[in-house]
Amino acid sequence: SQTIHQWPATLVQPVGSPLSLECTVEGTSNPNLYWYRQAAGRGLQLLFYSVGIGQISSEVPQNLSASRPQDRQFILSSKKLLLSDSGFYLCAWSGQGRIQYFGAGTRLSVL
Amino acid sequence: GIQVEQSPPDLILQEGANSTLRCNFSDSVNNLQWFHQNPWGQLINLFYIPSGTKQNGRLSATTVATERYSLLYISSSQTTDSGVYFCAVGGGSNYKLTFGKGTLLTVNP
């Protein structure tokens, strides 16, 4: 069966520090991969999605970037964190069936 | 892009009550999913339902694509049903989803 792993679960970082969040999927090949951010107030905002290795689409201009170095690995990065980058970051995958499956999320606090 | 509106934004129920959550969307879609986010933040897919009706235990969903809305029914609610319910829609050939702002459901014992 397919599983999605996301880490770390929580992270506290100072303003101006770099960021690297990792997401990996097991049990499937060539998944579509997504990064979402959920700020206080509930809504989920799609940040990036990828349909293949090295193929990244950005949905909103921001301080973040994404990379897909391997088929089932998706990384969210920042060179210098801002206070406004705080939030709950969720990784998801989908296959041909279109249903999206989410990881457990990373709670990021930038102080 | 597609706009998604969910109602009500907040709902408080007593255990055992039934409820209906609504999702309106602004354009034709070929992808509609309902999710439940538990208090720990985990998002679970409940239904993939771009059209028609589906049932899973006490939950059922109906999407009327021609009228651009979907309904999620919860019967005999339990405290474990508490959390935020999201509707997410997509159209075209890609698999991107646009999420509504959710309905926060609180079920009291």
Side-chain angles (χ1 to χ4, degrees):
Chain A
S1 63
Q2 302 90 352
T3 55
I4 178 168
H5 302 281
Q6 193 179 339
W7 66 89
T10 59
L11 191 60
V12 180
Q13 293 285 98
V15 170
S17 64
L19 173 73
S20 181
L21 302 181
E22 188 164 344
C23 172
T24 59
V25 181
E26 296 178 355
T28 188
S29 59
N30 197 31
N32 295 322
L33 296 172
Y34 312 84
W35 277 112
Y36 291 88
R37 177 169 58 201
Q38 185 176 31
R42 303 205 300 250
L44 272 76
Q45 180 184 39
L46 179 63
L47 302 176
F48 302 94
Y49 73 97
S50 171
V51 298
I53 296 174
Q55 301 178 59
I56 309 295
S57 296
S58 174
E59 290 297 294
V60 292
Q62 60 212 323
N63 186 41
L64 303 169
S65 62
S67 62
R68 184 171 177 173
Q70 300 180 37
D71 181 44
R72 290 169 289 177
Q73 183 184 31
F74 206 21
I75 298 173
L76 183 68
S77 304
S78 173
K79 293 182 179 178
K80 289 186 177 182
L81 284 169
L82 306 173
L83 288 173
S84 58
D85 292 323
S86 294
F88 188 45
Y89 289 83
L90 290 151
C91 179
W93 74 273
S94 68
Q96 293 302 313
R98 293 177 175 258
I99 295 173
Q100 289 194 15
Y101 301 93
F102 282 79
T106 296
R107 296 195 183 278
L108 172 65
S109 296
V110 182
L111 305 177
Chain B
I2 298 175
Q3 304 298 312
V4 183
E5 291 187 6
Q6 290 187 243
S7 60
D10 301 275
L11 184 60
I12 300 174
L13 301 174
Q14 287 299 121
E15 203 167 22
N18 302 328
S19 61
T20 301
L21 283 57
R22 187 176 180 102
C23 171
N24 292 332
F25 42 94
S26 62
D27 206 345
S28 59
V29 300
N30 56 17
N31 189 349
L32 190 147
Q33 300 179 37
W34 283 96
F35 295 88
H36 174 229
Q37 187 172 37
N38 66 25
W40 297 272
Q42 179 70 56
L43 270 161
I44 302 296
N45 185 284
L46 299 175
F47 294 102
Y48 169 72
I49 187 166
S51 63
T53 297
K54 290 186 178 180
Q55 182 163 3
N56 184 3
R58 296 180 296 103
L59 274 60
S60 63
T62 295
T63 296
V64 183
T66 54
E67 297 187 20
R68 299 181 184 171
Y69 74 89
S70 182
L71 301 174
L72 178 68
Y73 305 96
I74 304 174
S75 64
S76 303
S77 59
Q78 302 175 358
T79 56
T80 52
D81 294 331
S82 296
V84 183
Y85 289 81
F86 288 103
C87 169
V89 305
S93 59
N94 61 58
Y95 293 172
K96 294 190 300 180
L97 290 176
T98 299
F99 279 73
K101 293 187 176 181
T103 293
L104 175 59
L105 175 65
T106 302
V107 181
N108 292 321

